[in-house]
Amino acid sequence: MEQALAADNARLQKRIEQSARATQLADRAYNEQRGRCDWESIARDMDMPLIECLRLFDASLSTVPMRSLHNITDWSAEDLSTLKSFVTEHFSAATVNEWRLVGVYMNVEHNDCSMAYSICTFSRITPDLYKAITQHRNDGLKWKDIFEKYPIFGTLKLFYNAYYRSKESSGSKPKAPHIKWSDADTCKIKKLIHMYYKPGNRRELLIQAQKAFPNRSKGSICGRIGQTKDKVMVITNDDMDCVNKLVEVYGKDWERIGHEIDGTARRAQRIWSRHQERQNATLAWTDDELDILRKCIRDGVGMAEASRLIGTKSW
């Protein structure tokens, strides 16, 4: 029994050390111009398969800034080509967890990777892409030059035909009147997100937003929440350092700290909790934490739930 526990401890300790090393190598291999890490070189340095290195990466301990590429027009031709090649080579039918690995590889939110790959694969013209292509045509660019910017349709002819099919379908639908969102409206949406957003459950947030904007459609409100949420929910190292200093001055007066950071008390508490997690993540594992982790592995508990049960370590 003692030998089995010792073997478990050795495996866990090795996994923790590998994760820390993979994350450190990723920070060093980050290419600011490309916006992502050179994972092939990391795999060579660790002498491990590329996919296993991606699994070991711990975003909570990394200094690599994740890119925001919500629209297909935000993606460069090189990124689209890399995304398509990587998914085709490693995943025949990617699951949610595998899309998360794709996100780590591309340094982009996995939902954005899935969206871009879908457009590349099924040759769809999105409204944003249609608008960008139309603007390029109005600026006098030739079809060949535009195609080089968005080489996602295989051939120039497919690209040209897809654009005009999209033009015909969009012309048959009357455009809804567009009401521009003001800076004040966006600030109000941010406040509502801080107060009511819960991961996996937007119902209460949507209800409160509809009350705050009775003259806007549900679709318009959902779209604005989606565009704003990722930016609002991101917690940077600067945010954590700022709140830590404010706690030293005001204690845990979250209302005061929330006002100082131009946010809410709930936002201040969330940043403080993330700061505590960051500190705890750098501490050595205790025997009790390792016991809980071993039990989670034996019971098949996922990493996110295991992190919650341990309470002092992120996954």
Side-chain angles (χ1 to χ4, degrees), residues 13-31:
Q13 187 60 37
K14 182 179 180 181
R15 186 77 174 179
I16 292 167
E17 291 173 356
Q18 287 176 332
S19 177
R21 183 163 181 246
T23 304
Q24 290 171 358
L25 288 173
D27 289 348
R28 295 174 192 167
Y30 174 66
N31 186 312

Side-chain angles (χ1 to χ4, degrees), residues 67-84 102 106-117 120 149-152:
R67 296 185 291 172
S68 177
L69 305 178
H70 296 312
N71 299 318
I72 190 64
T73 50
D74 298 331
W75 290 72
S76 68
E78 191 268 339
D79 276 334
L80 287 171
S81 177
T82 302
L83 171 68
K84 193 169 183 179
V102 176
M106 296 300 302
N107 191 32
V108 178
E109 173 64 36
H110 71 278
N111 288 330
D112 294 339
C113 291
S114 176
M115 173 274 297
Y117 182 77
C120 289
K149 292 179 177 291
Y150 311 106
I152 59 177

Side-chain angles (χ1 to χ4, degrees), residues 138-155:
N138 292 338
D139 291 341
L141 265 69
K142 297 180 179 179
W143 279 109
K144 180 180 178 181
D145 297 328
I146 301 173
F147 174 68
E148 290 176 355
K149 292 179 177 291
Y150 311 106
I152 59 177
F153 292 87
T155 66

